[in-house]
Each structure stands twice: as structure tokens, then as C-alpha cells.
Amino acid sequence: MSKRTNWALWWKGLMGRGMLAGSVLAGWLIGLDLVWAAEAAPAAAPGPVFRAGFAERDITPELGMEQPGGYMKAYHKTLHDPCKVRAAVFDDGKKRVALVGLDAGFLREPSVVAARKGIQQRCGIPPEAVMIAASHSHSSGPTGMVLPGEYDHASDLVKKLAYELSSGADPKYLAKVEQAIVDAVCAADAGKVEVQCSFGRGFENQTAFNRRFRMKNGRTHTHPGQGNPDILCPAGPTDPEVGVIGAWDKQGKLLGCIVNFACHATTNPGGISANYIYYLEMAIRGMFGQEVVVVFMPGAGGDVTQVDNLSPYVHPKPEQWARMVGGRVGAEAVKVLVTAEPGAEVPLDYANTVLEFKRRVPRPERVKAALEIVQKDPKQVDHTEWVFAKEIVLLDAKLAKEPTVKAEVQAIQVGPVVLISTPAEYFCQFGLDIKAASPFPITFPVMLANGCVGYVPTEEALSPTGGGYETRLTAYSNLEPTAGRKMAEAGVELARKMKPGPIPTRPPHPPFRGAGWTYGNVPAELE
């Protein structure tokens, strides 16, 4: 006999003794009936818990190692601040994604493959769910431009130009960086805790400027110089948005954040440095604590730097410049973090595609002339002429082995945000085009991610009215003119296959039912 049957018989007897006693117990018995119903109903399955973890590892190069950012060799002599790998891992209970920010000029595709393989072997995150982006710090360690063994197939002259007279990667340092990426991602994964995420965009338009200008001669000039009377107008846009994702633990403490902004990291405050990202991190940590991990993902800033060619004033010194850019962008990120509402509904997704492009090919007569120039003493030839003759010779050797180049385009979703990456110093206009076409309410274009194929200008920049430094044909930058547009279209197509999550908001205020604050509901009192 069930509990319910026993209680029903007792209730019948009680009713026979008097209605008053029965009415006293009626409410209690109804409550018991609800308890029995709850016990009988199957328990609802708990929903997945959203978790995130953050970690960083040191990749500071040794003094005396090469400094990236140029076509010739340069060496570090002093240390300003450490270089790091910073990693975030997000887990929605169904999928995991990893976002990695690297204080480096760039990271070539073989190192990306090695790091992703190590991550998959150690903690199981698939390669296509890992985005590795270099900040393009010109004050970081030797990750390129030339890789060890890259020109072993070529002539002795080419090998000398590549290995002895060009900026090159250090194999020992590359191994350190690859291992640090694996360690940081796996540590972030192992340290995941339950979090809520906030999402938002700030606005900073005083620190980044397009460096290309339309000139009176009908062409475009990169860095034409302050006060140049032949300047007509900038030849491209900037993107002032500061994109921010924050991860907050159950006590409301910020564990880490993702920051996206489009500007070359060329402030070079002096010696080895993360560049302005160091001061961006300081600004955020100053508000939220020194243990906060700040993962910087560079926006589409291939033609954008801190240099204002239209300014009538002397430029700041490097240290001040680094503080100015990093401090202002970091402060804007803080404003977003203290304003945006966190939430736990953060769906994750990822997808990628690999495109293949032809390289632009120099004319045979140009290669011949370049070969003649590079065999001369560099001190007896115009420096710019010699450097780019060297690049034509190296490109010619590269074409013999690799006439085409592969480029990965990736999309990673974190709730209402989609990060769309390209392995290029990507022109700002493409980033704006991606944002305009994206189905997500917030989109982070990310350049120099998962490899490096050099500058990728717009088709207009490579037209007769274009020109400028970024369009020079080199072993570093040489993709066909349509490459940038095709990358943008591929990235948006990946994003369109995903469903954006909601941007968290505060609960709605209940309907007005009172008289407002009674302290303030009075006429002016004069006596």
C-alpha cells in the first residue's frame, strides 16, 4: 500500500471526527502531496557549466638575439620588459577553444603546426579549435623572417643573402616558443573554473593612424613625412574599436580577458619588449589585479601604426609613445569591462578553411638587374635599392620551390563574438569589410594568426593609383592582388555557418508601482 493510500484512509477517519480538525490539516496535507509529486517526477538534468582558464608563459629572448621587423639583421642589446605567450581556453561542455596571444613579430606556419600538434597530444583540443596570433611586436624575439633551412635548395649566393644578410629565426628560440604555447594552453585548460563572460566594444581614435597617403602625383606613399605639401588625404581607414571579452569567476573576480585592436606594435620603447601591449596589460591589471591574464589579439592593422603623419607636433619619444598607445587602449578596455554585463550562456564553435594563392612573379629582367646589384658591396649601393634587390633574388628562389602559398582562414565563436583570422599583415579596410558582412553582433578581425604570408594589401593599393611600402614585391609579401578579398569572403562564410549567442543584459526593471523616492517628491521649500 502506498504512502498516499495510507494518508487517504487516515484523512477519511479524521473527517468523521469533525470538520474543524480536518480544515486545520488540509493545507499541510496539500503541501505533502506536492512533495510526493516532486519525488515522483524525474529530476531535471543539470545544464552544462561554462568554464574558462587562463595562463601565460615567458618567451623573453636572450640579449644578443636578433630583433625582428626589418629586412636586415639587427640585435637586442637591452631588456625593457618580458615577452610572453598568453592563452585562454573556453569550454561550454560540448566544445573547447583556445585563443593564444604571442609577443612576437609573427609566427611561421611550421611552428603553428608543431604547437597545435603538441596541444592536441597533451590536452586533446583539436588544431582547428586553436587560434595563435602574433602581436607583431617589433621589439620581440627571432621568429623570422627567414626560417632555418628555407633556402637550402638555392645557390650559394642566395643562401648567403638569406642566412647571413636577412632577418632570420633562431631554431633554439623557435623551439622555446612552440613549447611555451603548448604549456600555456594546457595549463589554461587544466585550470578551468566556472565563469561568466562579458562582451563589449570601446572606442579609441587618438592612437592609431593609417600610414598611407594619396599624393598629388596620383599615387600612394607610405609615411610621406610630416608637413609634406604633396599630401592630399589618407589612402585608407583606421578601426577605432577596442573589442573585449571578460571572464569572471563566481565571486565576480576578473580572471582574464581578450582584447582586440588594430595597430602595428612598432612603438619600440627600448630593448626587448612586448611593445605597447606591455602598457595595455598594465592598465588592465592596475584596475583588476596583477594576476589577470590579458590575451591580445591584433586587429587588421597592416597599414595602421601609431605614427600620425598629419600631426603638426614632434612625435613622442618611444617610451612615451608605448605608454600612450597601450595606456589608452588598455583604459578603454577597462571601461568596457566595468560596464558590460556577464552571462553564462556562451556557445562555442570553430571552423577553418585553407586557401591557396599564386605568388606575384617579378619580370626576368628585374631579377637579372637585382642579381647584379646584390653582388656589389652594400655600402656602395643605395641602401633601399640593395635591400629590395636582395628580396627579389630571394623571391625568385622561393618561386622555384613554392610558386603558390597556402593561407588558413579561421573563425572561432565565443558567445556573441566571432574572431575571424588571417595569416597576414592585413589591411584595415578588409577588417572593416569583415565586420560589416559578419552575422555576429561583435566581430574581431585577427591578423597574423596561424602563420604569416606577409602584407596583404587591397586590390586598389596594387593598382596604378596605389603603391607604397606594403605593395613592394619581396620574399615576404607577394600574394596575388585578389588574396585579401578572398580571405575576407572566406572568413565571413565560416561565420555565417555559426549561430551567435546573446549579449548578456541586466534583468528588466519591474513596472512602476510607487510614487518614486519620497525624499525627493516635494516642491521647493523656501521656509
Side-chain angles (χ1 to χ4, degrees), residues 173-232:
Y173 185 70
L174 282 179
K176 175 179 180 176
V177 170
E178 292 163 10
Q179 188 60 52
I181 294 171
V182 176
D183 291 345
V185 170
C186 293
D189 184 62
K192 297 191 306 286
V193 298
E194 184 176 349
V195 300
Q196 291 189 325
C197 283
S198 61
F199 311 90
R201 294 171 292 182
F203 186 86
E204 169 48 52
N205 67 349
Q206 301 297 311
T207 57
F209 307 89
N210 200 291
R211 66 184 181 183
R212 295 165 44 79
F213 289 83
R214 303 198 187 283
M215 309 299 287
K216 290 180 180 178
N217 64 7
R219 297 199 306 272
T220 301
H221 190 160
T222 304
H223 287 315
Q226 290 175 267
N228 189 329
D230 291 334
I231 292 175
L232 293 177

Side-chain angles (χ1 to χ4, degrees), residues 3 23 50 64 195 215 281 341 352 383 432 449 484:
K3 290 181 182 178
S23 62
F50 187 80
V195 300
M215 309 299 287
E281 179 185 72
E341 186 74 9
N352 70 336
H383 174 74
L432 295 174

Side-chain angles (χ1 to χ4, degrees), residues 32-332:
L32 282 175
D33 198 55
L34 293 174
V35 171
W36 291 331
E39 288 177 351
V49 174
F50 187 80
R51 298 184 297 159
F54 292 81
E56 59 182 38
R57 291 293 184 270
D58 184 83
I59 55 167
T60 305
E62 298 173 8
L63 293 178
M65 282 187 166
E66 284 194 47
Q67 177 180 350
Y71 290 94
M72 303 288 283
K73 289 189 180 296
Y75 300 91
H76 283 300
K77 298 178 181 178
T78 60
L79 172 66
H80 183 276
D81 61 86
C83 294
K84 304 177 186 177
V85 171
R86 303 172 180 87
V89 173
F90 297 103
D91 184 344
D92 68 356
K94 300 176 182 178
K95 295 180 179 179
R96 288 178 295 166
V97 301
L99 303 176
V100 182
L102 192 68
D103 291 332
F106 35 74
L107 194 65
R108 297 283 297 275
E109 191 256 353
S111 291
V112 173
V113 171
R116 282 173 159 177
K117 182 179 179 181
I119 291 166
Q120 186 175 34
Q121 289 175 342
R122 275 183 53 183
C123 60
I125 301 176
E128 35 315 338
V130 179
M131 182 182 290
I132 303 172
S135 65
H136 200 51
S137 168
H138 277 225
S139 47
S140 57
T143 56
M145 301 164 71
V146 175
L147 293 180
E150 187 172 1
Y151 288 92
D152 283 0
H153 67 284
S155 67
D156 289 342
L157 172 62
V158 170
K159 289 182 202 175
K160 180 179 179 180
L161 295 174
Y163 301 143
E164 299 178 26
L165 298 171
S166 298
S167 177
D170 182 299
K172 174 184 171 184
Y173 185 70
L174 282 179
K176 175 179 180 176
V177 170
E178 292 163 10
Q179 188 60 52
I181 294 171
V182 176
D183 291 345
V185 170
C186 293
D189 184 62
K192 297 191 306 286
V193 298
E194 184 176 349
V195 300
Q196 291 189 325
C197 283
S198 61
F199 311 90
R201 294 171 292 182
F203 186 86
E204 169 48 52
N205 67 349
Q206 301 297 311
T207 57
F209 307 89
N210 200 291
R211 66 184 181 183
R212 295 165 44 79
F213 289 83
R214 303 198 187 283
M215 309 299 287
K216 290 180 180 178
N217 64 7
R219 297 199 306 272
T220 301
H221 190 160
T222 304
H223 287 315
Q226 290 175 267
N228 189 329
D230 291 334
I231 292 175
L232 293 177
C233 63
T238 60
D239 184 353
E241 281 192 351
V242 181
V244 185
I245 301 173
W248 311 80
D249 69 13
K250 295 173 74 173
Q251 288 71 46
K253 179 181 178 182
L254 183 68
L255 298 180
C257 61
I258 313 295
V259 179
N260 177 244
F261 185 67
C263 182
H264 260 65
T266 48
T267 56
N268 294 9
I272 296 167
S273 174
N275 220 274
Y276 73 76
I277 291 86
Y278 171 65
Y279 290 103
L280 185 158
E281 179 185 72
M282 286 182 65
I284 295 173
R285 286 183 165 183
M287 178 70 179
F288 296 103
Q290 293 303 306
E291 65 282 357
V292 173
V293 176
V294 180
V295 182
F296 179 75
M297 307 297 277
D303 51 347
V304 175
T305 75
Q306 80 282 358
V307 180
D308 182 4
N309 283 270
L310 297 180
S311 173
Y313 304 108
V314 173
H315 292 317
K317 294 186 182 301
E319 174 73 21
Q320 183 185 4
W321 229 343
R323 287 200 308 267
M324 185 184 302
V325 178
R328 289 186 66 97
V329 176
E332 197 63 25

Side-chain angles (χ1 to χ4, degrees), residues 10-11 13-29:
W10 182 72
W11 170 255
L14 185 65
M15 289 297 290
R17 289 184 225 140
M19 293 297 295
L20 179 61
S23 62
V24 170
L25 292 173
W28 181 53
L29 292 174

